[in-house]
């Protein structure tokens, strides 16, 4: 089975299993802050094509459109349940849609924001831009928000050179452990 076929199968199965939590999170977002339930972010996909990636909204609607770590006092922009959504990675659940439609994979480098020019340039130089971005990836389990961009790209490049089904399964298992422990989440 191809990686794409496996992505579709896993997303369909996970979607069924996560249907109730997805509905509950959507209701919680709607009831605790004004604005839409989903935040659609312009991200860089395979071959540097821009796509719209959904997340459950964890930030106020008036938040500047920059990477969270670039905000002054990012916690001040969080919705009442935003910190919880980010700590538990529940804000990422809508990305199952991006996997289903082919913009993302379960495992790959995390998609850059459209304005992270330094990250995009380094990934392109290393050939990482040829990969479909992922819900999780090698850099995610080796530092997540805490990594400086050159180190993130080095980890993404290592993944490009060593990718396999066995490595993807290892990354998925380690991601699950990190999510349960809320490791590597800065905001």
């Amino acid at each position: 089975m191809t990686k794409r076929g496996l992505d579709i199968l896993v997303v369909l199965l996970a979607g069924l299993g996560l249907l109730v939590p997805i509905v509950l999170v959507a209701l919680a977002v709607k009831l605790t802050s004004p604005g839409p339930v989903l935040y659609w972010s312009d991200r860089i996909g395979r071959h540097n094509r821009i796509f719209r990636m959904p997340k459950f909204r964890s930030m106020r609607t008036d938040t500047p459109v920059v990477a969270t770590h670039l905000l002054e006092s990012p916690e001040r922009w969080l919705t009442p349940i935003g910190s919880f959504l980010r700590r538990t990675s529940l804000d990422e659940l809508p990305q199952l849609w991006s996997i289903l439609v082919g913009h993302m994979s379960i495992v790959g480098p995390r998609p850059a924001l459209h304005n992270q020019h330094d990250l995009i340039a380094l990934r392109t130089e290393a050939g990482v831009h040829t990969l479909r971005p992922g819900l999780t990836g090698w850099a995610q389990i080796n530092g997540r928000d805490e990594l400086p961009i050159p180190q993130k790209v080095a980890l993404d490049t290592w993944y490009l050179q060593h990718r396999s089904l066995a490595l993807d399964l290892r990354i998925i298992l380690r991601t699950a452990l990190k999510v349960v422990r809320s490791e590597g989440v800065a905001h």
Side-chain angles (χ1 to χ4, degrees), residues 43 46 56 74 98 106-107 116 123 149 154:
R43 297 295 178 124
R46 190 173 190 196
F56 280 122
S98 294
I106 293 170
V107 178
Q116 287 181 296
R123 282 181 169 173
I149 286 174

Side-chain angles (χ1 to χ4, degrees), residues 74-86:
E75 58 284 343
R76 94 169 222 234
W77 298 99
L78 290 168
T79 63
I81 64 167
S83 180
F84 171 76
L85 292 177
R86 286 171 167 247

Side-chain angles (χ1 to χ4, degrees), residues 2-187:
T2 67
K3 181 171 176 147
R4 178 76 186 121
L6 191 58
D7 281 345
I8 292 169
L9 179 64
V10 170
V11 165
L12 290 174
L13 293 173
L16 289 173
L18 294 169
L19 188 58
V20 170
I22 288 171
V23 169
L24 291 175
V25 171
L27 282 171
V29 170
K30 191 65 179 168
L31 295 173
T32 59
S33 66
V37 169
L38 295 178
Y39 172 73
W40 292 85
S41 174
D42 286 341
R43 297 295 178 124
I44 301 300
R46 190 173 190 196
H47 301 295
N48 292 334
R49 291 188 191 105
I50 294 178
F51 73 98
R52 306 267 296 157
M53 183 185 82
K55 294 178 89 168
F56 280 122
R57 191 172 50 77
S58 61
M59 307 293 270
R60 296 185 345 221
T61 56
D62 59 341
T63 305
V65 183
V66 296
T68 305
H69 70 277
L70 297 177
L71 290 171
E72 187 177 316
S73 304
E75 58 284 343
R76 94 169 222 234
W77 298 99
L78 290 168
T79 63
I81 64 167
S83 180
F84 171 76
L85 292 177
R86 286 171 167 247
R87 193 173 56 254
T88 59
S89 296
L90 289 171
D91 62 325
E92 310 283 351
L93 288 176
Q95 290 169 44
L96 295 174
W97 172 255
S98 294
I99 296 169
L100 189 63
V101 299
H103 294 148
M104 291 175 62
S105 181
I106 293 170
V107 178
R110 283 295 292 159
L113 288 166
H114 71 283
N115 58 3
Q116 287 181 296
H117 304 293
D118 48 352
L119 176 58
I120 296 163
L122 288 173
R123 282 181 169 173
T124 302
E125 187 179 309
V128 173
H129 71 293
T130 62
L131 296 173
R132 197 180 308 267
L135 182 63
T136 187
W138 187 243
Q140 288 298 106
I141 63 169
N142 286 291
R144 201 170 175 174
D145 292 341
E146 302 158 354
L147 293 173
I149 286 174
Q151 189 177 355
K152 186 179 292 189
V153 173
L155 290 165
D156 291 338
T157 303
W158 187 92
Y159 174 77
L160 171 68
Q161 296 166 347
H162 296 90
R163 66 187 188 270
S164 68
L165 179 59
L167 179 58
D168 283 1
L169 292 174
R170 183 174 157 204
I171 291 168
I172 291 167
L173 290 174
R174 285 191 49 199
T175 298
L177 287 173
K178 287 192 172 282
V179 167
V180 167
R181 296 177 185 154
S182 297
E183 287 180 23
V185 180
H187 308 287

